[in-house]
Amino acid sequence: MKESMRLDKYLADMGVGTRSEVKGLIKKGKIQVNGTIANDYSRKIIVGTDVIMYAGEEITYLEYEYFMLNKPAGVLSATEDKHAKTVLDLLTTSKRKDLFPVGRLDKDTEGLLLITNDGALSHALLSPKKHVDKMYYAKVEGMVTEQDVEAFAEGLQMDEEWRAMPAKLKILVQDTISEITLVIQEGKFHQVKRMFEVVGKKVIFLKRLSMGPLQLDEKLMPGEYRKLTEEELQKLKESHS
């Protein structure tokens, strides 16, 4: 059985306007349903069957949207902020108005961020019980050693109450500025930076490369985004079903 919903909710969900703005458009005869002008904002629409038109365009209903963003530094992983640009400000082609970032990256951290309105998928990816791998690339001030690799693999004692889960540290460049990849399964506040502080080093650049089976598209420049492919979405859902 196909879902039905009020016309004003349908249009508001798809970003045509707020509920009150949408009602105004309907009163002015700006909305058509199945080729005739709609005049009742409370009428029921059969999603996927009825054809809704506004300004010469068909308004198709999307229950969920999924975007991969290459988050740039200097942007907040938040839905809104009065003083700073957020990741949602970068999404100019989304239909839904209830999108949110799945987890967060620090303001100065770059890389993969999934943005959606699918709460169930978000919960599955962020749940500590699911142990979802998250891979980061970092530049680190200080010589990263095999001792660090072993310490990360054992799980670092972060403070009196928190011992980090075992993490996979791989050294790419070993120098005064080292380059590494790190796979963790947690996502605590400033976690990667704090882990390196425990071993006496400082992260000076951080970028997330993957989250579960989802890998950052190398073609996306910082600040660019695209919809997830069907294959990517299927892999995400299968990995947490």
Side-chain angles (χ1 to χ4, degrees), residues 118-239:
D118 187 338
L121 179 63
S122 173
H123 176 74
L125 288 168
L126 298 176
S127 172
K129 296 176 184 175
K130 297 287 187 177
H131 303 307
V132 176
D133 283 347
K134 293 172 268 287
M135 178 182 278
Y136 293 83
Y137 163 82
K139 292 182 180 180
V140 180
E141 209 170 69
M143 184 90 68
V144 179
T145 66
E146 289 302 321
Q147 280 180 306
D148 296 327
V149 173
E150 291 170 14
F152 276 63
E154 289 172 8
L156 294 171
Q157 190 67 45
M158 303 298 292
D159 55 37
E160 289 180 6
E161 298 178 356
W162 173 35
R163 186 179 184 87
M165 292 172 63
K168 298 173 190 170
L169 174 60
K170 182 178 179 182
I171 301 169
L172 304 177
V173 175
Q174 195 176 41
D175 208 333
T176 50
I177 301 293
S178 297
E179 296 179 42
I180 61 94
T181 59
L182 179 67
V183 178
I184 61 175
Q185 293 184 330
E186 298 163 287
K188 307 239 181 190
F189 186 64
H190 291 322
Q191 179 164 344
V192 176
K193 296 171 185 175
R194 288 165 67 188
M195 290 174 85
F196 277 99
E197 284 171 7
V198 168
V199 294
K201 298 173 181 71
K202 183 181 179 183
V203 172
I204 56 174
F205 176 80
L206 187 60
K207 179 179 183 178
R208 184 157 67 189
L209 303 178
S210 66
M211 185 177 191
L214 188 62
Q215 297 185 351
L216 179 64
D217 187 335
E218 294 177 356
K219 298 190 190 79
L220 291 177
M221 300 298 289
E224 292 183 341
Y225 66 95
R226 64 165 173 78
K227 289 184 177 181
L228 289 198
T229 65
E230 284 297 320
E231 184 181 4
E232 287 169 336
L233 184 55
Q234 196 61 34
K235 282 183 180 178
L236 269 183
K237 290 184 174 179
E238 285 173 359
S239 65

Side-chain angles (χ1 to χ4, degrees), residues 5-22:
M5 69 172 63
R6 285 171 54 124
L7 176 59
D8 55 350
K9 177 176 174 12
Y10 182 108
L11 292 166
D13 281 356
M14 290 303 95
V16 173
T18 63
R19 278 284 186 103
S20 58
E21 288 169 344
V22 162

Side-chain angles (χ1 to χ4, degrees), residues 35-96:
T36 60
I37 292 172
N39 51 28
D40 179 6
Y41 55 76
S42 66
R43 72 174 285 178
K44 294 289 187 181
I45 298 301
I46 306 300
V47 177
T49 298
D50 291 328
V51 178
I52 320 302
M53 301 287 292
Y54 169 60
E57 287 188 27
E58 183 176 350
I59 310 298
T60 52
Y61 194 83
L62 294 171
E63 185 176 8
Y64 296 117
E65 286 192 291
Y66 305 88
F67 294 99
M68 175 192 296
L69 169 71
N70 185 355
K71 179 192 168 300
V75 177
L76 293 181
S77 298
T79 54
E80 58 183 348
D81 189 273
K82 291 180 180 176
H83 307 292
K85 182 179 279 192
T86 73
V87 290
L88 289 191
D89 294 329
L90 301 175
L91 267 65
T92 57
T93 61
S94 58
K95 301 280 189 188
R96 303 283 319 194

